[in-house]
Amino acid sequence: MENGVPKFDVVTVTLNPAIDRTVTIPNFTAGAVNRVEQEHSTPGGKGVNVASALADYGHLVAVTGFLGRENTPLFVDLFARKKIEDRFVRITGRTRVGIKIIDPVLHQTTDVNFPGPKSAPADLDALREQLAALDSTWVAIAGSLPPGVNAELYRDIAIGLKAVGRKVVLDTSGEALHRGVEAVPNIIKPNIYELEALVDKRLQSEAEVIEAAKKLVEQGIELVAVSMGKDGACFVSEAAAVIARPPEIEVKSTVGAGDAMVAGIIAAQLRKFSLKQCARLATAFSLVALTRIESGLTSAAAVHSLMDQVSIREAWTREDQF
Ligand SMILES: Nc1ncnc2c1ncn2[C@@H]1O[C@H](COP(=O)(O)OP(=O)(O)OP(=O)(O)O)[C@@H](O)[C@H]1O
Ligand SMILES: [Mg+2]
């Protein structure tokens, strides 16, 4: 901390990053020799995508988590290009690769997913050291847990961070989310399916989504943002619930729309935006992500040009009750 100002705006944590490799093979046939027409690899993982979007928006960002030592160059290049501070712990093995075989003739996609590397107890110690050494108010923990760690890991990391006054955003799913909310993160951003799994209930209407989010807010989570794909998102705090609806846009790739929304939520917190302003900015971030294949944003101007197209409605305020 220099003059009371943290060194980084945000630190993101990605324990299970991935390289997304897209290969184009016309008439792909299992059990035969196939020729690749085009290929493209991008470094990914939810925390990496969140960092990417925040860096593109002009923030000072540091990244940590686990990277397999054997295939780091794509990540190292990305971080250098975006001036993201790289504090990933290098672990034994290769970061997992997800291969997407796109067949433009048969209009089929085939996924081949490699397992990720296992971390050792010493790697977890190194991660905790990095987190303690990195100076930021906000920490975003995002994505799935890697093999070989306990389901309570996110909870324990979040408890440790909150105890020293840092603010935590958690974006994960399943058991990791279930256990993670026990730490009462400041913000969570489940999508509708993740929220349904968390509260163990089908949520069939806007009112039911708000009700479920409010229960989490009552437990102390300051902001529950529930994303609902093309239907937009619902932002619920102790004071109000706001619904953001996106305009119809031409979608290039839905991968990472949620991650961009997390980045937008954090950007809004750093600007002390109201709930409505936060909903607008976060949705605009997600819309920019939908218009491109790579993670991150085209520009801050692209975000701002979409903000006016987001429709914002207050669905509930605390005053309604009195
Ligand atoms: N088809 C779409 N049209 C318009 N906006 C969309 C569409 N899909 C997603 N969005 C925007 O992106 C936001 C996040 O999308 P979504 O709910 O799919 O997140 P997610 O499931 O967490 O995604 P991710 O795969 O990144 O984890 C939505 O709230 C909405 O603003
Ligand atoms: Mg998501």
Side-chain angles (χ1 to χ4, degrees):
M1 190 106 32
E2 235 165 70
N3 308 321
V5 180
K7 186 150 179 242
F8 297 101
D9 296 326
V10 187
V11 171
T12 74
V13 184
T14 319
L15 297 191
N16 203 16
I19 294 171
D20 301 315
R21 185 165 192 192
T22 308
V23 297
T24 308
I25 304 178
N27 293 305
F28 173 72
T29 317
V33 174
N34 292 276
R35 290 193 197 290
V36 173
E37 197 176 78
Q38 259 181 47
E39 73 156 323
H40 182 71
S41 290
T42 48
K46 293 191 175 294
V48 172
N49 297 342
V50 172
S52 220
L54 282 164
D56 290 343
Y57 202 58
H59 286 291
L60 284 175
V61 186
V63 283
T64 188
F66 297 141
L67 272 187
R69 202 174 275 120
E70 290 171 27
N71 56 346
T72 58
L74 279 174
F75 289 95
V76 172
D77 287 355
L78 175 83
F79 302 148
R81 215 167 52 236
K82 302 209 174 201
K83 300 193 168 54
I84 292 170
E85 175 89 4
D86 173 11
R87 299 284 187 88
F88 265 96
V89 176
R90 268 55 172 177
I91 69 173
T92 303
R94 294 172 67 77
T95 293
R96 71 197 163 115
V97 178
I99 300 180
K100 209 174 255 309
I101 301 168
I102 295 181
D103 185 335
V105 177
L106 302 175
H107 303 288
Q108 282 176 345
T109 303
T110 308
D111 285 291
V112 181
N113 292 332
F114 289 64
K118 265 197 183 153
S119 57
D123 299 326
L124 271 177
D125 294 339
L127 175 77
R128 290 205 171 86
E129 265 170 41
Q130 285 298 347
L131 277 171
L134 281 165
D135 184 12
S136 73
T137 308
W138 284 95
V139 181
I141 305 171
S144 55
L145 285 169
V149 302
N150 294 328
E152 307 86 65
L153 182 58
Y154 285 158
R155 179 196 68 184
D156 296 346
I157 292 176
I159 288 174
L161 290 166
K162 284 190 69 189
V164 292
R166 297 173 79 179
K167 291 179 182 280
V168 176
V169 183
L170 179 64
D171 180 15
T172 185
S173 57
E175 189 64 7
L177 176 61
H178 213 269
R179 303 309 307 271
V181 294
E182 291 170 10
V184 193
N186 299 80
I187 299 176
I188 58 172
K189 193 225 61 73
N191 65 29
I192 182 82
Y193 310 108
E194 291 160 350
L195 180 64
E196 285 183 340
L198 179 64
V199 300
D200 197 18
K201 188 172 182 283
R202 280 292 311 278
L203 302 168
Q204 319 233 38
S205 65
E206 184 183 293
E208 285 181 6
V209 172
I210 294 174
E211 227 20 73
K214 268 202 219 164
K215 287 209 177 104
L216 291 160
V217 168
E218 279 161 18
Q219 289 168 28
I221 302 174
E222 288 155 29
L223 171 59
V224 177
V226 186
S227 65
M228 307 176 291
K230 65 173 172 16
D231 294 330
C234 179
F235 296 77
V236 181
S237 74
E238 180 254 337
V242 166
I243 309 288
R245 300 256 184 240
E248 264 192 35
I249 59 155
E250 201 188 313
V251 175
K252 280 234 177 74
S253 157
T254 55
V255 177
D259 308 336
M261 177 164 266
V262 171
I265 292 171
I266 298 171
Q269 304 308 308
L270 289 164
R271 286 164 183 73
K272 308 223 177 317
F273 274 9
S274 68
L275 191 63
K276 280 184 182 171
Q277 289 173 306
C278 170
R280 191 180 287 285
L281 184 67
T283 303
F285 263 66
S286 71
L287 292 173
V288 175
L290 290 164
T291 61
R292 51 190 270 130
I293 307 285
E294 302 82 16
S295 70
L297 309 172
T298 28
S299 65
V303 173
H304 298 153
S305 72
L306 284 163
M307 283 177 76
D308 287 346
Q309 295 183 42
V310 180
S311 98
I312 300 288
R313 178 167 54 85
E314 207 158 56
W316 166 84
T317 62
R318 197 179 37 202
E319 280 79 50
D320 292 351
Q321 289 184 327
F322 303 108

